[in-house]
Amino acid sequence: MTNDINKVTPYNSEATKKSQVEDMFDNIAPKYDLLNHALSMKIDVLWRNKLVKMMKEDAPQEVLDVATGTGDLAIAVEKGTNAKVVGLDLSQQMLNVGVIKIKKLKLDGKISMQKGDAENLPFEDNRFDAVSVAFGVRNFENLTKGLAELRRVVKENKSVYILEFSKVEGFLGPFYMFYFKNILPAIGRLVSKDNRAYTYLPDSVNAFPFGEKMRQILLDTGFKKVEYKKLSLGIATIYKATK
């Protein structure tokens, strides 16, 4: 399964998955927030808030938000926990949008944004009280390596929080899949002007391990305890992996 997700790339070109993901997010950055909230009907805001509520119990002082994008989760974490947040992303264009947003909210003293690679984090071991990733682990070129890096930089007995798409099971599954594979990419193409970005989304979700499979991958990575919570009938899942 992890090999399958590594093979799913945005543009099916000869370039590495990492550079294709960077190009894709650079391309869609100006329209990303608009599309994200519209296509999810703002349910993604509720999902992030649920993750922050779980994290708040750990009372973190410093949090790393990986694949921070335009900073939505970083902002929610700061507001919900009052922690200092470092947001890291591969796409400079996404970060640029995030920096403007953070300045408008006067949070630039609490949230710093930097370009970086999730699979080679520029931080020392056991640095952060919590690590978060929202809709980013699907895009790792090497899932196992990326997860091991998240574990490396979080403190002992502290947790990594992953919010990721999963699959709707049961009778609603086919209806949701139809929307996800046909309607969502059409709207995404129209607004973002990127033909592949919103086709890559359902393709990558389809190939991505979720639920028990993802839990086992996290345990195999070395986390001592992993729990997960399905959201909105399984459209998304939050994983809490404790080091």
Side-chain angles (χ1 to χ4, degrees), residues 55 60-78 81-89 95 99 102 107-118 121-124 127-134 150 153:
M55 186 190 285
Q61 299 298 301
E62 189 179 29
V63 177
L64 172 65
D65 184 42
V66 172
T68 196
T70 63
D72 276 354
L73 182 55
I75 291 163
V77 165
E78 193 284 327
T81 67
N82 205 32
K84 287 197 88 144
V85 184
V86 178
L88 179 133
D89 202 275
L95 289 168
V99 166
I102 287 160
L107 291 174
D108 37 329
K110 295 294 299 277
I111 303 172
S112 61
M113 302 284 264
Q114 69 182 77
K115 191 177 189 314
D117 178 2
L121 293 170
F123 308 107
E124 65 272 21
R127 156 92 181 260
F128 296 96
D129 302 304
V131 175
S132 59
V133 193
L150 303 183
V153 299

Side-chain angles (χ1 to χ4, degrees), residues 82-101:
N82 205 32
K84 287 197 88 144
V85 184
V86 178
L88 179 133
D89 202 275
L90 203 55
S91 163
Q92 188 60 54
Q93 297 305 320
M94 293 284 276
L95 289 168
N96 292 347
V97 174
V99 166
I100 293 165
K101 215 189 312 190

Side-chain angles (χ1 to χ4, degrees), residues 22-165:
E22 183 178 356
D23 287 347
M24 176 185 75
F25 282 112
D26 278 347
N27 289 343
I28 65 175
K31 304 282 189 191
Y32 180 79
D33 283 344
L34 168 72
L35 272 168
N36 216 15
H37 298 321
L39 292 171
S40 71
M41 292 172 286
K42 285 210 166 182
I43 296 170
D44 62 312
V45 176
L46 300 178
W47 295 340
R48 286 187 185 88
N49 288 342
K50 192 145 290 207
L51 184 154
V52 172
K53 197 175 174 186
M54 288 169 70
M55 186 190 285
K56 194 177 180 181
E57 292 173 18
D58 290 351
Q61 299 298 301
E62 189 179 29
V63 177
L64 172 65
D65 184 42
V66 172
T68 196
T70 63
D72 276 354
L73 182 55
I75 291 163
V77 165
E78 193 284 327
K79 286 183 172 175
T81 67
N82 205 32
K84 287 197 88 144
V85 184
V86 178
L88 179 133
D89 202 275
L90 203 55
S91 163
Q92 188 60 54
Q93 297 305 320
M94 293 284 276
L95 289 168
N96 292 347
V97 174
V99 166
I100 293 165
K101 215 189 312 190
I102 287 160
K103 278 184 177 163
K104 275 185 185 169
L105 293 167
K106 296 184 169 54
L107 291 174
D108 37 329
K110 295 294 299 277
I111 303 172
S112 61
M113 302 284 264
Q114 69 182 77
K115 191 177 189 314
D117 178 2
E119 294 165 50
N120 188 21
L121 293 170
F123 308 107
E124 65 272 21
D125 298 358
N126 307 304
R127 156 92 181 260
F128 296 96
D129 302 304
V131 175
S132 59
V133 193
F135 311 114
V137 292
R138 262 181 314 108
N139 301 321
F140 290 177
E141 187 168 81
N142 184 320
L143 178 59
T144 317
K145 190 179 176 192
L147 295 175
E149 275 291 271
L150 303 183
R151 181 185 176 277
R152 180 181 69 77
V153 299
V154 79
K155 290 176 180 173
E156 292 285 342
N157 300 312
K158 297 297 185 181
S159 302
V160 171
Y161 295 84
I162 295 167
L163 169 59
E164 190 50 87
F165 287 114

Side-chain angles (χ1 to χ4, degrees), residues 180-200:
F180 210 45
K181 283 191 81 70
N182 299 283
I183 297 165
L184 182 146
I187 298 167
R189 273 196 298 273
L190 198 67
V191 178
S192 74
K193 306 288 187 264
D194 187 306
N195 286 332
R196 268 294 297 169
Y198 287 86
T199 308
Y200 165 73

